[in-house]
Amino acid sequence: VLQNLVHLFYPQLCAACRQPLATGSKVVCVHCRLQLPYLDHFSLGENIITKMFWGRAPVQTAFSLLYFKKDTIVQELLHALKYRNRKDVAEAFGQEIGQKWLSLQNQPDFDLVVPVPMHRSKYKTRGYNQAELIAAAIAEVMHKPLATDLLKKPTRSESQTKKGRLDRWNSAEQQFVHSGKPHAPGILLVDDVITTGATIEACIQTLQHFNSHCRVSVATLAYAYR
Ligand SMILES: [Zn+2]
């Protein structure tokens, strides 16, 4: 009975190929795990992700775990996480990010973990923000506090009222708003996928608008290259 209950709460299928998982396997089957396209960063300070921000936004250190490509295992994993309630994907791979980060930098240069926020309406429909789940797993492994309410996406009416005094600089900042809560200067921004970096860049602008001394690092589960 207990085993059946466990099966009810923890789906026992591979999150990528949906075949039953062998006993002892978690989240992803052995076959899929062997095919995972890991990005091998040798430095957190200078890699493909940090270079993306050169000339755009100050990013101290950055890390992405996997390459994202259409029609691959990684797309399946992200899809499972976003649309099939497979929160265990965020937990397992978030922990992996935290462990790998610590192996490259045992004294992380941030003090607070902040997920890229999601619109409240979307959050209500989905029931969770996948970036927040990844951030929570990273924060736990790295023993850092998590702040889920520091940044938020403004509702449409909130954006409208701000529009009157927007200049060009503010149009990016407007994507996110700061809660106004004071915070430590070193922040790790977490998202599920990074593509052009525009979302992270907008978050950084919001953080720095509030505190110009803010140092930002970035972690994502996947990097979608073009
Ligand atoms: Zn599989």
Side-chain angles (χ1 to χ4, degrees):
V1 178
L2 187 67
Q3 193 61 26
N4 287 338
L5 277 174
V6 169
H7 278 247
L8 264 182
F9 291 105
Y10 296 94
Q12 297 293 300
L13 296 178
C14 170
C17 70
R18 306 190 210 184
Q19 295 298 308
L21 283 174
T23 319
S25 288
K26 272 185 176 173
V27 189
V28 177
C29 73
V30 179
H31 180 72
C32 289
R33 189 160 273 285
L34 284 172
Q35 294 181 62
L36 287 175
Y38 281 99
L39 265 108
D40 287 313
H41 297 308
F42 298 102
S43 156
L44 290 169
E46 200 171 301
N47 59 46
I48 199 164
I49 312 299
T50 52
K51 284 178 184 170
M52 188 191 286
F53 292 98
W54 286 3
R56 294 168 64 190
V59 166
Q60 304 292 311
T61 45
F63 184 92
S64 283
L65 189 67
L66 301 164
Y67 275 114
F68 171 92
K69 239 184 161 180
K70 276 191 172 172
D71 307 318
T72 61
I73 291 177
V74 178
Q75 186 179 28
E76 269 303 311
L77 283 177
L78 289 168
H79 199 269
L81 169 61
K82 275 168 102 162
Y83 307 113
R84 300 205 310 268
N85 206 37
R86 289 295 300 255
K87 297 175 191 158
D88 55 342
V89 169
E91 196 186 349
F93 290 99
Q95 286 171 356
E96 223 173 288
I97 292 169
Q99 284 152 2
K100 293 206 169 168
W101 192 297
L102 287 174
S103 73
L104 289 163
Q105 185 183 51
N106 60 26
Q107 296 284 346
D109 59 1
F110 54 83
D111 322 285
L112 190 63
V113 182
V114 176
V116 170
M118 179 185 266
H119 266 296
R120 212 171 309 158
S121 57
K122 209 178 198 180
Y123 189 93
K124 271 186 186 159
T125 322
R126 190 170 297 168
Y128 57 93
N129 170 3
Q130 69 277 2
E132 194 176 310
L133 301 179
I134 299 165
I138 295 174
E140 197 188 345
V141 167
M142 300 183 79
H143 305 291
K144 296 289 181 188
L146 173 74
T148 56
D149 56 355
L150 191 67
L151 296 177
K152 72 169 188 169
K153 276 210 156 219
T155 60
R156 197 163 294 161
S157 61
E158 282 167 335
S159 321
Q160 295 300 329
T161 49
K162 277 188 104 186
K163 233 167 213 165
R165 53 187 174 85
L166 277 184
D167 53 28
R168 230 149 65 98
W169 183 86
N170 266 335
S171 62
E173 186 231 6
Q174 190 214 10
Q175 283 185 39
F176 299 100
V177 288
H178 197 287
S179 70
K181 284 180 192 161
H183 57 81
I187 286 183
L188 177 69
L189 280 172
V190 178
D191 208 354
D192 51 351
V193 190
I194 189 164
T195 306
T196 63
T199 307
I200 296 283
E201 193 179 348
C203 287
I204 295 174
Q205 285 186 0
T206 302
L207 287 167
Q208 294 208 318
H209 186 60
F210 180 78
N211 175 359
S212 58
H213 299 295
C214 198
R215 300 187 315 272
V216 179
S217 294
V218 177
T220 70
L221 204 159
Y223 162 57
Y225 62 109
R226 309 177 146 220

